[in-house]
Amino acid sequence: KKKKMFLGESYVSEQGAEKIKSYKYSGEDRSLIYKYVLTPMNNYLIDFFPMNMAPNLITLIGVFCSIAAYCLYWYYCPTMQEEAPGWVSLFFSVMLFIYQTLDNLDGKQARRTGNSTALGLLFDHGIDALNATLIGMSLSSQFCFGPTWKSFTIVMLFGWGFYLNTWEHYYIEKMILPVVNGPTEGLLVSSLFGVVTFLFGQSFWLNKFFLPLSVSVASKLDLILSISPFHEKLVPQVEAHSGIYLEYHYIALVFFFIPAAVTLPTNMYTVYTYIFNNAEKFANKPKKHGKLTWWHSHPFLHALANLFVLFCISLFYVWWILVNPNQLLATYPRLVLWTFGLVFWKLCVHLMLAHLCDEEYHPFRRTFVPFFFCAMHFALHSWHGTLRDIDNFYVLIELFVVVFVSSVHMVFGVVSELCAILDVNCLTIKAKKSETNKNK
């Protein structure tokens, strides 16, 4: 049962509120760099933070660093293909490292001051989810990906990577980061890319190298590209059936793609094995498997069903970008990417909130209804060959406004509810009653 709040229902049910009060975080970062380099450094740095500084304030300062770097790239590279001054890449590298450091320090500050709460976890993960889009777009500007499928791919990779990790956390009830992971090695290498760009310039990533291919492979690739209606939007043409010329920024794209290609199936396998090995435990938790009895006997299929909404919206975006005759991504690249980024962010926060409340996760939100109606509308126009007649800019604006307003409402709603449930402040440390009485 949920109480009414301003402009809708409460985000937290009465049962969920009780679970939030007793929630205990369980997590593990298996990275060797985190264990032997970052942890000793952070243990030294944490002593410089005052005891009355709220952990969430540290988290917020960290994301402001990422926002500052993003704004500079936005100013100098509005379509993510212009060349910014070299110091912008160095600034991005420094800001990203500061963000990573503060992201590690906020948890230490919470334990140090005795303020580890479910609000802190949700605030931290919500900021990290938002930062995935910020960093993805900043890297796209740095590598001169431009308003192309490459920028969309890197934002989608970051979004899906974070979402699958949160999804795994929801089911196994523990946040496990592998030996090589995005929050540690991924951010450090991204910072290193910034230093490389500062030293050699953004134009370095546009230099081409020749990738030799066997005659049979080159011929098959050439044939596929020749019959594909998207060949100009996907990869360069094969040269003389012997190889292909690629810009250096493809190396950076592959660097981010390969870990994602390994990590995403790993998340799924981890959830599958955990559910298989704990069948009795999941049978006693019907709330996580929905009201239908069929789901209770097929918990892993129910888990996969919770990926369906983001999969459909991702598929809709890919189709919209590739088929759209009005060059939507090329004309409004940042608006396209931010609309998708906010969709993924909202799903992540809802998933984490369901984990905190120990309740069933409902990915299909009212916010996403317009996306599915637009998909059907565009499909019908595409079938009749009238897709060009639609003013895609206004459709994009409408979708962005819907998801943006919904996200802002969620931020204020969830934060205010959790503050009330836990009797804490968000950005300050509330004095304990015993201490208040002594001061009187």
Side-chain angles (χ1 to χ4, degrees):
K1 184 180 178 180
K2 294 186 178 182
K3 298 178 180 178
K4 289 289 183 179
M5 65 168 292
F6 176 66
L7 293 178
E9 288 186 341
S10 167
Y11 286 96
V12 182
S13 66
E14 294 179 2
Q15 295 83 357
E18 294 303 317
K19 293 290 184 179
I20 283 175
K21 291 177 183 178
S22 59
Y23 178 81
K24 298 295 181 184
Y25 173 73
S26 176
E28 179 184 2
D29 190 336
R30 297 173 179 173
S31 167
L32 298 179
I33 294 178
Y34 177 81
K35 182 177 181 180
Y36 294 108
V37 179
L38 298 183
T39 296
M41 180 190 74
N42 293 329
N43 289 338
Y44 171 76
L45 293 175
I46 193 63
D47 292 330
F48 290 93
F49 288 78
M51 290 293 291
N52 61 349
M53 187 174 190
N56 290 341
L57 183 58
I58 297 176
T59 308
L60 193 62
I61 293 173
V63 77
F64 279 152
C65 292
S66 292
I67 292 174
Y70 170 82
C71 289
L72 280 174
Y73 273 127
W74 187 11
Y75 177 77
Y76 286 106
C77 314
T79 61
M80 295 178 285
Q81 60 187 345
E82 299 83 1
E83 187 166 359
W87 63 267
V88 174
S89 297
L90 183 62
F91 181 80
F92 165 76
S93 180
V94 173
M95 289 298 102
L96 190 57
F97 182 73
I98 292 175
Y99 159 77
Q100 181 184 32
T101 303
L102 294 179
D103 189 45
N104 290 327
L105 289 173
D106 56 7
K108 292 184 179 294
Q109 179 73 350
R111 292 185 290 273
R112 179 173 172 239
T113 59
N115 284 275
S116 296
T117 64
L119 172 63
L121 177 65
L122 188 64
F123 195 86
D124 179 72
H125 283 249
I127 291 294
D128 290 342
L130 179 66
N131 208 46
T133 302
L134 285 168
I135 294 175
M137 294 177 69
S138 294
L139 286 172
S140 297
S141 300
Q142 179 177 280
F143 296 135
C144 294
F145 282 157
T148 67
W149 65 273
K150 289 171 277 190
S151 298
F152 180 70
T153 298
I154 198 169
V155 170
M156 183 178 285
L157 286 176
F158 286 7
W160 268 97
F162 194 95
Y163 185 76
L164 263 291
N165 191 255
T166 307
W167 176 76
E168 178 189 299
H169 187 189
Y170 172 74
Y171 281 99
I172 72 173
E173 299 179 346
K174 184 177 182 179
M175 176 66 77
I176 299 178
L177 298 176
V179 175
V180 178
N181 60 75
T184 302
E185 286 78 11
L187 291 179
L188 287 174
V189 173
S190 296
S191 297
L192 183 61
F193 277 139
V195 175
V196 171
T197 307
F198 168 70
L199 294 175
F200 298 99
Q202 284 176 270
S203 57
F204 164 79
W205 299 106
L206 296 177
N207 293 330
K208 293 185 177 182
F209 68 96
F210 184 72
L211 179 65
L213 299 172
S214 65
V215 176
S216 61
V217 173
S219 300
K220 292 177 182 177
L221 182 59
D222 196 17
L223 176 63
I224 293 172
L225 291 175
S226 64
I227 63 177
S228 170
F230 313 128
H231 64 276
E232 294 181 356
K233 300 179 182 179
L234 295 177
V235 294
Q237 296 293 313
V238 178
E239 297 291 335
H241 298 289
S242 60
I244 189 170
Y245 283 100
L246 295 171
E247 291 90 353
Y248 279 109
H249 64 208
Y250 276 94
I251 297 176
L253 186 62
V254 170
F255 172 83
F256 290 110
F257 179 80
I258 292 178
V262 173
T263 302
L264 301 189
T266 302
N267 292 134
M268 293 185 180
Y269 179 74
T270 301
V271 171
Y272 171 76
T273 54
Y274 185 83
I275 291 177
F276 181 80
N277 295 328
N278 297 273
E280 184 177 347
K281 176 181 177 181
F282 276 82
N284 295 327
K285 278 197 170 184
K287 283 187 177 180
K288 278 200 172 184
H289 304 145
K291 298 179 181 179
L292 296 178
T293 306
W294 189 84
W295 286 127
H296 300 168
S297 56
H298 302 84
F300 182 65
L301 291 180
H302 183 266
L304 290 178
N306 284 332
L307 304 177
F308 186 69
V309 170
L310 184 58
F311 173 78
C312 287
I313 293 178
S314 301
L315 197 64
F316 163 62
Y317 252 80
V318 171
W319 173 78
W320 195 14
I321 291 171
L322 292 178
V323 176
N324 195 286
N326 297 317
Q327 299 293 317
L328 190 66
L329 181 62
T331 310
Y332 313 106
R334 293 187 181 271
L335 191 59
V336 169
L337 296 180
W338 266 119
T339 305
F340 175 80
L342 288 177
V343 167
F344 131 76
W345 174 87
K346 198 170 189 297
L347 284 169
C348 279
V349 175
H350 276 295
L351 181 54
M352 181 54 64
L353 186 60
H355 166 67
L356 297 176
C357 296
D358 195 27
E359 293 179 338
E360 183 188 1
Y361 169 54
H362 299 281
F364 191 80
R365 320 300 301 187
R366 286 170 292 186
T367 305
F368 305 137
V369 172
F371 286 85
F372 288 93
F373 274 108
C374 282
M376 291 189 295
H377 187 65
F378 290 156
L380 290 173
H381 274 280
S382 180
W383 178 267
H384 292 286
T386 57
L387 191 60
R388 189 180 297 273
D389 298 334
I390 302 176
D391 194 328
N392 288 268
F393 173 69
Y394 287 108
V395 174
L396 180 61
I397 284 289
E398 290 162 5
L399 292 178
F400 174 78
V401 169
V402 168
V403 72
F404 177 78
V405 171
S406 175
S407 299
V408 171
H409 181 273
M410 186 176 186
V411 169
F412 285 100
V414 171
V415 170
S416 61
E417 286 181 53
L418 263 63
C419 285
I421 291 169
L422 299 170
D423 191 27
V424 297
N425 295 333
C426 181
L427 299 177
T428 60
I429 295 179
K430 180 179 285 189
K432 296 180 180 179
K433 292 183 179 179
S434 58
E435 295 178 358
T436 305
N437 293 333
K438 287 180 181 179
N439 293 333
K440 288 182 179 179

